[in-house]
Structure formats: C-alpha cells, structure tokens
Amino acid sequence: MGAADNLLHGRGITTPFDLSGSTLSPAQVFAFYGAVPLVHFPPLYPVSLAALSSTGLPIASGERWLNAILMAANLFVFELLVRRFSTSRLLVPIAAALLLLAGPAVFFHQNLLLIDEGAWSEPLFLFVFLLGVLFIEVYLDHATKGWFVGIAVCVALAPLIRYVGFSIVAGAAIVMLLWAPLTRPRRWKAAAMLVVCGLAPSVAWSFITSSVLHGGSARQFAWHAPSAPIHWLLYIGSGWILPGSIPGLLREALFLVILLAAGLLLLVDRVQNKEGSQQHSHAAVLAIFAATYLAVLMFTLAFLDDTTPMDNR
C-alpha cells in the first residue's frame, strides 16, 4: 500500500521505507528520502491498487474493492475449470463450498475468505494463475492464436505479481511440449515463445530497478542449504488436497502415494498417446503445474532467499 501511495504521489514504484529483505545498506536507503525502489516485491499489485485509487478511492477502499472483484472472478474461473474436469452437476457447488469455507480445522491453514481480507497479492496472483491454466486447457483442445495470446499474457503477468509466478512459465512450456496439438517443431517454438513472454517483462523490471533506479538486486544468488526440504515439500503439497486434521506424517505419506499415482498416470498417458495426438489428462496438466510451483519455491529457498516462508500462502 505504501508503494501504491508513492506511485499516486509521483514518486514512481517505490516504497516510503526499506523492506526487511532489502540488499541496500542503511546509507543507500537514507539517500532515497522516502522513495526506496520497490525491489524485494514485484510491481503489479501496487500498480493495480494505485490504478483503482486514481479514481478517487482511498487506497484501503480500493484494496477492498479489488479483493471483492477478485474473489468473484476466482470463483468463476474455478467453476469453469471444474466443469472442464467433470460433468457432474453436484461437483461445482461442493467444490466451491470447500474452496470458500474450508479453514484450518478442515483443510490447510488458510482459506479463500482469509486471503481476501488483507492487502496481499495472493488473490490477484491466484486469478492470473487459474486463468492461465484454463487458457492452456482450452488451447490443448483448440489450438488457436487467440488462446495462445491469452496464455502468453498470463505467463507474462504472473511473475510481476509474485516471483513464484515463474512456475506458470515453466509449467506452460512443459505442457506445450508434451500435449500441444502441433507438430514437434511448432511445439518447441510455442514453448520458447511462452518462456520469452514470461521472462522478458520481469528481466526488464529488474534492469530498471537495479540500473535505472539504482535499487540493487532483488535477490543475491547464493547457496542456502534448505532445512528438511523434503518435509517442507510434502507439508505444502499435502495441504493442497488433504485435510489438515490428518496427523502430519500420515498426511505426507498419503501425499506421496498420490504423487506416485499421478506420476504413473502421466507415464501411461504419455506412452499411450502418439505423436501429435490431442488427447491429454487433466490431472496430468494440474500435476505439472503443482510440481513446477514446488520446484520454483524450493529453488528460491535454496539459491535466492532463505527467508522464504514455507507456509500455506
């Protein structure tokens, strides 16, 4: 919210104070006089808040309106995804109820109502992420330029909201290589184009903050040995699909079984489908995005930021 306020007052995408994870020295921060370049976090969420507040709304009110709109939009995209995965009329309302109401006592430590209550970038990221998955699902059935452009926009925006958005870039490229209804050379071309679209805006933003605004690098690349990485991967992944009331070790063991089953399904699906086939498994597509999300999270923890919280967000 501070970055949005600075942007509204002509100070650019900066913050009025230094952030705890900053790589700047105290002397460098003081020299910015309340306009410290926004480096530690991507810029799109504060830009969205500032855009809403430019209509005359206070920033806090704009944040509330944005979250309300995003909650409705996320539920709508979620419904479209569920309808693609199943023709059951009961599954959609049941899934929506679980998504909205499942809290710490039932599923994981967080629920959709809670993340929409604060000035967090998660609702906006969730919308772009789900929309990207939906566009990819449709593209695998109808490979048109319009759907591809939609995918490219989502993979470009996601890392500008949260750095873990690079996972959708990797996931989209992998899915394109595996199942896009194109010839092999065109699959590679499509995957490469998505990688370029996903990386280019973030690389440009990094150059602006470090070289133009002299804000330093967002992260220092170095090896940070993660503490119990396998445990944290299982802890986070199992929380997506298994009740939090299940004891930790049992829940993680069940998640391992699900992972093995999903891997076997992916292998069988790949062997059965011939080159150029348009058939693909919805579960396998979701498994790819889940795996790339966890991989990017662990890469960040190991090489870029050892303070990355291993939590439900």
Side-chain angles (χ1 to χ4, degrees), residues 220-243:
Q220 296 290 351
F221 189 85
W223 167 248
H224 318 107
S227 174
I230 302 301
H231 161 70
W232 287 116
L233 284 174
L234 296 177
Y235 174 77
I236 295 172
S238 62
W240 292 341
I241 56 177
L242 295 173

Side-chain angles (χ1 to χ4, degrees), residues 200-224:
S202 295
V203 170
W205 171 247
S206 179
F207 174 79
I208 292 172
T209 56
S210 61
S211 300
V212 179
L213 301 178
H214 307 290
S217 61
R219 302 290 193 278
Q220 296 290 351
F221 189 85
W223 167 248
H224 318 107

Side-chain angles (χ1 to χ4, degrees), residues 130-177:
L130 290 178
L131 194 64
V133 174
L134 177 64
F135 286 165
I136 290 171
E137 272 285 331
V138 177
Y139 183 84
L140 294 180
D141 292 330
H142 309 284
T144 65
K145 290 183 179 179
W147 292 118
F148 187 83
V149 170
I151 299 169
V153 170
C154 289
V155 300
L157 294 181
L160 293 176
I161 304 171
R162 293 179 65 81
Y163 288 124
V164 77
F166 287 115
S167 63
I168 193 177
V169 181
I174 292 172
V175 170
M176 281 290 168
L177 290 175

